[in-house]
Amino acid sequence: MAIKIEKKIKGYNVVKPEDKAAAPVATPAAPAAKEAPKAEVIQMHESLERPETLIGSTYKIKSPLFEHALYVTVNDIVLNAGTQYEQRRPFEIFINSKNMDHFQWIVALTRITSAVFRKGGDVTFLVEEMKAVFDPRGGYFKAGGVYMPSIVAEIGTVIEQHMKMIGLIHDPELDESTRKLIAEKRAAYEAAANPKKAAPAAEGSAEPTNANGFPPGATLCAKCNTQALVLMDGCQTCLNCGYSKCG
């Protein structure tokens, strides 16, 4: 039987009858090994649907700039519930008040903030951005002597407090050595300010303090926004967080 070859021959081999007999029989391919199932980790993104029920917390803000209090509610969504990847992330925010003077910017702030929450990723930057907003009329001191430069800054502080509660922001605590140093600094300042009362003070007698429990002459600390900055040995030192302009 003649076979017409239409292509150029590049090489050839002679096939013998015994070679045909030894040719391996084609076997069906073995099924591929099944891959181990991988956990599907759900992350925050814009297309994530809102569940019927969300976990939330409400915070009260009482500012001297407002006649009525503000109530800030932050609702969280639970991602990967019941797994090792479970975490709470803020999903939406609502701000309510009887005061309608600032209704427009409050509604705008809640919608934009909620949109950023749903966007996903690192949303903790909102805290610093909001805390950096200053009121041109001047800020105020909230209960405890902590200075707030604006009502927006206090809303940012509330969001920061909520993020710390759900574990999104970790607040580093003062170590034992820093606490001991602050206690020594405070004792030394009070002893220098009232040398005649140093001994009774050591026994636990009450000394005059400001609204936050620090010496009355203390000024505002730029790091923790607390009236706890005093002048010691020619250097401004904070008796609340340990900050010192001299390092």
Side-chain angles (χ1 to χ4, degrees), residues 41-204:
V41 180
I42 301 175
Q43 303 289 347
M44 285 292 296
H45 51 77
E46 292 177 333
S47 60
L48 188 63
E49 295 184 1
R50 185 190 188 279
E52 292 293 331
T53 304
L54 293 176
I55 302 173
S57 301
T58 301
Y59 304 85
K60 181 180 178 180
I61 295 178
K62 185 60 178 176
S63 167
L65 303 180
F66 281 22
E67 180 182 357
H68 301 285
L70 292 177
Y71 295 90
V72 181
T73 300
V74 184
N75 289 333
D76 302 324
I77 186 172
V78 180
L79 302 176
N80 309 295
T83 69
Q84 60 177 331
Y85 305 105
E86 180 177 330
Q87 63 175 169
R88 286 175 60 177
R89 294 292 300 266
F91 191 82
E92 60 191 10
I93 182 173
F94 299 99
I95 303 176
N96 297 311
S97 176
K98 292 182 179 179
N99 191 344
M100 301 297 291
D101 295 341
H102 305 279
F103 178 77
Q104 294 186 50
W105 70 260
I106 286 179
V107 171
L109 182 65
T110 56
R111 291 184 179 180
I112 293 174
T113 305
S114 297
V116 173
F117 285 164
R118 297 190 187 103
K119 185 83 173 177
D122 184 8
V123 297
T124 57
F125 74 93
L126 279 175
V127 171
E128 294 302 324
E129 293 294 335
M130 295 176 72
K131 290 172 67 175
V133 175
F134 290 81
D135 192 331
R137 298 173 298 175
Y140 57 92
F141 286 93
K142 61 181 293 187
V146 180
Y147 178 75
M148 288 294 159
S150 66
I151 188 65
V152 176
E154 186 160 4
I155 294 174
T157 303
V158 165
I159 295 176
E160 180 183 34
Q161 178 183 349
H162 183 79
M163 288 184 175
K164 288 179 180 179
M165 183 191 69
I166 65 176
L168 202 57
I169 294 179
H170 300 282
D171 189 14
E173 297 183 357
L174 297 177
D175 54 24
E176 190 63 29
S177 59
T178 304
R179 292 180 181 179
K180 184 178 179 180
L181 177 63
I182 292 175
E184 292 175 354
K185 291 285 186 180
R186 180 164 185 171
Y189 177 83
E190 292 176 352
N194 303 291
K196 295 182 179 180
K197 297 182 180 181
E203 297 173 1

Side-chain angles (χ1 to χ4, degrees), residues 1-7 9:
M1 180 178 178
I3 298 176
K4 184 179 179 181
I5 300 176
E6 297 179 350
K7 296 181 180 180
I9 299 175

